[in-house]
Amino acid sequence: MKSEETVIEVENLTKKFGEFTAVNEISFKTYKGEIFGFLGANGAGKTTAMKMLIGISKPTSGEASVTGLDVYSQTDQIKRNIGYMSQRFSMYDDLTIKENITFFGGIYGLDRKTIKTKIQEIIESLGLKDVANKLVGALPLGWKQKLAFSVALIHDPKIVFLDEPTGGVDPITRRQFWELIYKQASHGTTVFVTTHYMDEAEYCDRVSIMVEGKIEALDTPENLKKEYMVDSMDGVFLKLARNIE
Amino acid sequence: MENISFDVKQGELFGLIGPDGAGKTTLFRILTTLLFADKGEATVAGYDVVKDYKKIRNSVGYMPGKFSLYQDLTVEENLEFFATIFGTTVEENYDLIKDIYVQIEPFKKRRAGKLSGGMKQKLALSCALIHKPKVLFLDEPTTGVDPVSRKEFWDMLKRLNDKGITTLVSTPYMDEASLCDRIALIQAGKILKIDSPANIIDQHEKQIFNVKAHDMHAVITDLKEFPGNESIYAFGEFVHYTHSNSDFSPENLKRYLSEKGHKDIRIEPTTPGIEDVFMDLARTKDLKPAANEV
């Protein structure tokens, strides 16, 4: 469940590319066990912000820490301590399910015994027993994404970043994926997630919406809908993004 | 893809709605003569996709899901290139692309590879239209695009369609279905249903209930244990619930949920959307995607 323990703290975080300010003094906190939706139109600065938080892009100014680690000086530790999955890169298509789990377990420094246990756990919980020795490339996208999510959690990180995890996934599997997210959050993992499906925004504990590099709104879906006087998150999003034109 | 049959009428805006891996791109590639089907026949604009492939290539516009213009040519050069290979000029059909092209014209000297996603999309559409095709094929033009830009793209599409261009468009976003004249719901290589969005919804007989309470995740878990439950799908702030038989009583369910400790329980009938119908058809026809053999 949600608690007061912070997992991400961001204060006036900024990233400039020459004259262009991609991320403009954003500030927010996320808490242990929270599902935090990170929304915005294409080009609003979401990806740039996320890159700074996962330690692969240096901020221009401002402060941020992830699981207590500094995004300027402790980027290597950040990478070891977080989970990450995206729609684009999930796993190696030409390795089997077991080989992928073994590989990522090794990357995160797990010992053989732990990896073996993890393989059992993941394959059982996702019902992949019959296909455990099949190449990942042969799996339908929805299965791949569920597997990638489990693999991103293989080292029991306190936080997992999900970059459009359900893009293109069929509607039934998309919902199963969110059940995995809920379950993980209830075990205390913080989930930081981006999506273009506005119904998924409703499943988050809190949602932030970026517009032109700034966080223009940050609250629970319930409060945002009240504030913008609409009955869906789609309405909130359209109102916010429309105002800039 | 297996045993697919359908027709698209002249001037129609026809949507292929389905997730990744459904077979949408394969179908588009067969219809645009880039891929042979193993079996079956197809004609586009009256031409056979095998025998008359050259004629089809001259009469259709195709915008693939992946950006496929020349990255190192400028905006203007790409457009002129496509006009020239189709034996026409930009001026001749400028009317058709004007609304779209004016939005990227300020960047006409910029290389296509340096454009933003939205601008690339507008250029690709302009290039697909410049020879005034009879049929326009758009493969997932809005995938990965945010809701605001998606809405703008569909407005643009509607205006084009009003000019009489028959359009086939594919999308994984079920909410875009309602903007088409007719749609085919497609999953795992099969067509689940073809009709107008309104008819598809009208013909759906199952009563769906919106269920809501304070802790939505616990609601889903508990609904799965409720005797007689048929389907339970999260839908924005509600859960869409269907029951397996007709003697369902919302009061019973409410009592069950409050015994489980739920608070602020709301249960009310609601009308289905395309996504409800899609999931119901996919579930009852057991077309869950299976692992392919390699």
Side-chain angles (χ1 to χ4, degrees), chain A residues 41-42 134 138 140-141 168-172 174-175 179 182 196-199 202-203 225 231 237-238 241 245, chain B residues 19-20 144-148 150 152 173-174 187 217 224 233-237 275 278-279 289-294:
Chain A
N42 299 103
K134 283 247 164 75
L141 177 73
V169 173
D170 74 87
I172 295 180
R174 196 155 73 79
R175 285 167 173 82
E179 287 181 33
Y182 272 127
H196 283 319
Y197 292 99
M198 286 304 118
D199 59 329
E202 309 260 4
Y203 311 152
K225 283 183 281 182
D231 57 6
F237 192 89
L238 289 177
E245 280 157 28
Chain B
D20 284 9
V145 175
D146 69 76
V148 179
R150 285 206 279 134
E152 286 168 359
Y173 298 105
M174 307 272 154
Q187 170 141 322
H217 184 222
K224 284 186 175 167
Y233 295 123
F235 250 91
E237 63 175 320
E275 194 158 3
F278 188 97
M279 288 195 287
N292 325 315
E293 298 294 328
V294 169

Side-chain angles (χ1 to χ4, degrees), chain A:
Chain A
M1 289 308 288
K2 262 187 287 176
S3 74
E4 291 306 303
E5 186 185 332
T6 59
V7 175
I8 299 179
E9 291 195 27
V10 176
E11 195 69 45
N12 297 325
L13 194 68
T14 298
K15 177 80 183 187
K16 293 183 180 172
F17 297 103
E19 290 293 291
F20 177 65
T21 308
V23 174
N24 195 353
E25 300 197 339
I26 59 169
S27 304
F28 64 92
K29 286 177 184 170
T30 63
Y31 299 92
K32 183 171 188 253
E34 184 177 37
I35 303 174
F36 188 84
F38 199 59
L39 311 185
N42 299 103
K46 289 186 314 264
T47 305
T48 309
M50 200 142 147
K51 277 185 176 169
M52 292 190 276
L53 295 177
I54 63 175
I56 60 171
S57 170
K58 244 195 176 66
T60 309
S61 61
E63 301 299 325
S65 69
V66 176
T67 66
L69 299 162
D70 181 65
V71 296
Y72 290 91
S73 58
Q74 294 176 297
T75 53
D76 283 351
Q77 284 108 300
I78 287 179
K79 284 173 215 159
R80 270 196 286 273
N81 278 286
I82 62 166
Y84 174 81
M85 81 166 271
S86 81
Q87 192 195 351
R88 265 156 256 129
F89 176 78
S90 44
M91 278 167 303
Y92 292 97
D93 274 351
D94 48 2
L95 294 183
T96 67
I97 292 178
K98 273 189 180 171
E99 285 166 347
N100 265 291
I101 302 173
T102 310
F103 176 80
F104 283 99
I107 290 276
Y108 284 109
L110 305 185
D111 59 61
R112 276 188 199 184
K113 217 178 121 203
T114 314
I115 290 176
K116 237 182 163 173
T117 323
K118 286 284 179 189
I119 289 176
Q120 290 297 338
E121 271 176 33
I122 294 174
I123 285 174
E124 216 145 276
S125 70
L126 296 180
L128 293 173
K129 218 168 170 190
D130 297 338
V131 287
N133 290 313
K134 283 247 164 75
L135 298 184
V136 159
L139 292 177
L141 177 73
W143 290 25
K144 268 191 206 171
Q145 294 304 82
K146 285 197 262 182
L147 179 61
F149 180 64
S150 303
V151 169
L153 294 163
I154 198 163
H155 54 305
D156 300 317
K158 283 185 183 162
I159 180 166
V160 61
F161 291 86
L162 309 174
D163 194 1
E164 277 185 56
T166 56
V169 173
D170 74 87
I172 295 180
T173 314
R174 196 155 73 79
R175 285 167 173 82
Q176 292 168 348
F177 191 90
W178 271 88
E179 287 181 33
L180 292 179
I181 291 181
Y182 272 127
K183 203 169 135 205
Q184 201 57 42
S186 70
H187 293 321
T189 312
T190 303
V191 180
F192 186 100
V193 58
T194 73
T195 180
H196 283 319
Y197 292 99
M198 286 304 118
D199 59 329
E200 293 185 351
E202 309 260 4
Y203 311 152
C204 301
D205 293 315
R206 285 190 306 148
V207 168
S208 79
I209 300 179
M210 274 188 90
V211 180
E212 293 192 322
K214 289 189 174 205
I215 291 184
E216 285 293 332
L218 201 182
D219 212 327
T220 62
E222 190 104 40
N223 288 344
L224 287 174
K225 283 183 281 182
K226 260 185 223 154
E227 187 183 338
Y228 290 91
M229 293 179 291
V230 288
D231 57 6
S232 69
M233 281 305 290
D234 197 36
V236 174
F237 192 89
L238 289 177
K239 262 194 166 166
L240 265 172
R242 272 285 145 85
N243 283 346
I244 60 164
E245 280 157 28

Side-chain angles (χ1 to χ4, degrees), chain B residues 21 38 47 84 89 114 160 175 196 204 216 221 242 255 293:
Chain B
D38 294 332
Y47 301 122
T84 309
T89 59
K114 297 278 180 204
L160 267 179
D175 58 348
S196 70
H204 191 68
M216 288 303 278
T221 314
T242 63
R255 201 174 312 124
E293 298 294 328

Side-chain angles (χ1 to χ4, degrees), chain B residues 48-79:
Chain B
D48 184 274
V49 289
V50 179
K51 280 184 293 201
D52 308 320
Y53 75 95
K54 279 189 182 161
K55 285 180 184 143
I56 290 184
R57 288 181 189 184
N58 275 317
S59 31
V60 305
Y62 176 40
M63 183 171 146
K66 196 170 166 267
F67 183 70
S68 312
L69 302 182
Y70 294 96
Q71 311 258 4
D72 47 2
L73 293 186
T74 64
V75 166
E76 190 172 54
E77 285 166 347
N78 264 298
L79 192 61

